[in-house]
């Protein structure tokens, strides 16, 4: 670089190298989907609970300082919301999947904007939940303490589990098996340590079907008077179950990589008639023995729902030119490109106020 002293030249090269490194870590320069930088201006934010029931138990505690008997609340869902100043679009309810919490939708593991902020910036009121018995939605220790105090047999313990990162690697489709990586995979593996910290114990196998989250989602949709329910993975079936329970307040359903879709051979498809539905899958699905059958089953549902008068669509991202996405596509390096596409789908299928 002509005209620069040796120390200045070294500094310039270091700055250039740092810039290149930052671009590599963040996945490259800003894309068209990225909202314009600047302050996030909102009209309102807060949190509340929906649903729930009271239970009385004599095994709430085994600690001398806390009484074992009393009444607690369970089955409620925690809801955190942000409402933009110009809110002409329908509210979105973001529902996380297995072994995770509402953190799924917040800042990505490598520090980029999450979907909750993106959609607020795009004018969507955004409601992020923690499923019942997960995260900030209370669980009950009663069954565990009953066994610990000898009041119940060990075989009555609830089936609570955590997903280890080695088996979860293939479930989240970072690669075919740990620690192999699919070519071109978009998940920010350099920040995987932050992702694994998001994992929490999962009580879903210990809860009834439908999960208590489902009636709570129905109550929330009625409160919001026209919500788009956006689910992921284990919770993928919840919006369908919510619509089957009561369609009041539901504008559209979006199931992102659902663990299950309704079964056309068993389930009534009438609740989905004329309801905009999107089932969305990422990449490498056919390479996964876990996800390929689920994709096939969801294709069958979409076909049957449309034959019964539905408005269902199934989109495989590679088929629309978006490649390399893991199961955690809302955290992948191209996550905002997908969010941008999804915002366009919602604008077309479930437009807000003009």
């Amino acid at each position: 670089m002509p005209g620069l002293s040796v120390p200045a030249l070294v500094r310039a090269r270091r700055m250039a190298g740092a810039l290149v490194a930052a671009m590599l870590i963040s996945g490259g320069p800003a894309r068209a989907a990225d909202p314009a930088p600047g302050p996030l201006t909102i009209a309102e934010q807060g949190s509340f609970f929906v649903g729930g029931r009271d239970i009385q138990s004599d095994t709430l505690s085994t600690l001398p300082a806390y009484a074992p008997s009393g009444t607690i609340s369970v089955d409620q869902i925690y809801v955190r919301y942000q409402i933009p100043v110009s809110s002409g679009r329908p509210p979105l309810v973001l529902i996380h999947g297995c072994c995770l919490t509402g953190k799924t939708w917040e800042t990505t593991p490598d520090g980029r904007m999450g979907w909750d902020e993106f959609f607020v910036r795009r004018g969507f009121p955004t409601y992020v939940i923690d499923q019942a018995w997960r995260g900030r939605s209370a669980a009950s220790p009663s069954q565990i303490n009953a066994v610990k105090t000898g009041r119940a047999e060990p075989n009555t313990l609830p089936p609570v589990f955590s997903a280890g990162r080695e088996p979860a690697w293939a479930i989240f489709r970072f690669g075919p098996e740990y620690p192999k990586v699919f070519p071109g995979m978009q998940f920010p593996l350099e920040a995987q340590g932050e992702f694994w910290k998001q994992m929490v114990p999962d009580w879903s196998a210990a809860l009834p079907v439908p999960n208590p989250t489902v009636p709570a989602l129905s109550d929330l949709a009625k409160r919001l008077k026209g919500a788009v329910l956006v689910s992921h993975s284990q919770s993928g079936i919840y919006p369908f179950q919510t619509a089957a329970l009561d369609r009041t307040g539901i504008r559209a359903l979006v199931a992102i990589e659902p663990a299950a879709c309704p079964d056309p051979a068993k389930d009534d498809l009438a609740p989905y008639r004329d309801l905009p539905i999107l089932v969305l899958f990422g990449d490498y699905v056919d390479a996964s023995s876990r996800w390929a059958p689920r994709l096939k089953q969801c294709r069958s549902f979409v076909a049957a729902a449309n034959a019964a008068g539905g408005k269902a669509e199934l989109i495989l991202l590679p088929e629309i030119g978006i490649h390399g996405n893991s199961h955690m596509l809302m955290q992948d390096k191209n996550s905002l490109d997908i969010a941008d596409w999804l915002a366009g789908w919602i604008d077309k299928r479930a437009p807000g106020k003009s």
Side-chain angles (χ1 to χ4, degrees):
M1 297 180 183
L4 289 179
S5 65
V6 172
L9 180 60
V10 171
R11 288 195 297 272
R13 286 176 174 170
R14 286 176 176 171
M15 290 176 63
L19 178 60
V20 171
M23 290 173 64
L24 289 172
I25 292 173
S26 65
R31 295 175 288 269
D34 297 345
L40 173 62
T41 303
I42 58 176
E44 185 181 349
Q45 70 174 1
S47 60
F48 55 89
F49 290 91
V50 177
R53 62 188 176 91
D54 292 340
I55 62 171
Q56 197 283 330
S57 174
D58 294 325
T59 53
L60 296 178
S61 172
T62 60
L63 300 175
Y66 297 93
S69 299
T71 303
I72 61 173
S73 296
V74 295
D75 291 358
Q76 66 271 25
I77 63 171
Y78 171 86
V79 184
R80 182 184 63 81
Y81 67 90
Q82 295 187 94
I83 300 176
V85 174
S86 299
S87 179
R89 286 174 160 137
L92 307 184
V93 178
L94 303 178
I95 312 158
H96 63 84
C98 157
C99 319
L100 295 164
T101 69
K103 170 62 179 167
T104 289
W105 311 101
E106 298 173 6
T107 309
T108 65
D110 56 341
R112 292 171 291 110
M113 184 185 301
W115 278 21
D116 64 339
E117 181 181 340
F118 175 89
F119 282 110
V120 171
R121 287 183 180 273
R122 283 296 182 90
F124 293 90
T126 305
Y127 295 76
V128 177
I129 79 158
D130 283 357
Q131 289 186 36
W133 294 62
R134 196 92 59 82
R136 286 173 286 188
S137 301
S140 170
S142 296
Q143 289 175 275
I144 296 172
N145 287 336
V147 172
K148 189 172 183 178
T149 57
R151 299 188 183 189
E153 295 298 319
N155 61 9
T156 65
L157 284 169
V160 182
F161 68 96
S162 291
R165 63 188 64 179
E166 293 85 1
W169 185 276
I171 294 173
F172 294 133
R173 294 203 315 282
F174 300 155
E177 61 182 357
Y178 182 84
K180 297 178 181 178
V181 179
F182 284 122
M185 197 272 302
Q186 292 273 6
F187 189 82
L189 288 177
E190 69 276 8
Q192 63 178 285
E194 286 300 302
F195 173 69
W196 299 126
K197 293 175 185 177
Q198 297 180 26
M199 308 291 282
V200 299
D202 191 307
W203 290 72
S204 59
L207 302 178
V209 177
N211 187 287
T213 301
V214 170
L217 286 172
S218 181
D219 291 345
L220 179 58
K222 293 173 185 175
R223 176 170 176 167
L224 299 181
K225 299 178 180 178
V228 178
L229 303 182
V230 182
S231 61
H232 177 236
S233 194
Q234 168 251 331
S235 74
I237 194 66
Y238 292 177
F240 298 104
Q241 293 174 336
T242 304
L245 181 66
D246 190 343
R247 274 188 49 171
T248 305
I250 299 175
R251 291 287 303 279
L253 306 182
V254 176
I256 297 173
E257 300 230 344
C261 286
D263 185 347
K266 300 178 181 178
D267 297 324
D268 181 11
L269 300 182
Y272 314 118
R273 188 175 296 123
D274 297 325
L275 182 64
I277 295 172
L278 172 65
V279 180
L280 186 66
F281 279 89
D283 211 338
Y284 319 111
V285 178
D286 287 334
S288 169
S289 60
R290 187 184 192 92
W291 291 104
R294 294 174 176 181
L295 173 61
K296 181 179 179 181
Q297 193 262 340
C298 285
R299 287 192 190 278
S300 297
F301 160 73
V302 167
N306 288 337
K311 296 180 178 179
E313 301 171 64
L314 188 147
I315 298 294
L316 201 58
L317 288 178
E319 295 178 354
I320 60 171
I322 301 177
H323 298 276
N325 287 104
S326 72
H327 180 57
M328 300 302 298
L329 54 84
M330 72 292 296
Q331 298 180 359
D332 287 341
K333 292 181 179 180
N334 61 350
S335 60
L336 296 190
D337 293 326
I338 301 168
D340 180 62
W341 182 90
L342 180 55
W345 184 90
I346 295 170
D347 282 340
K348 291 178 182 178
R349 304 297 190 268
K353 301 173 184 177
S354 58

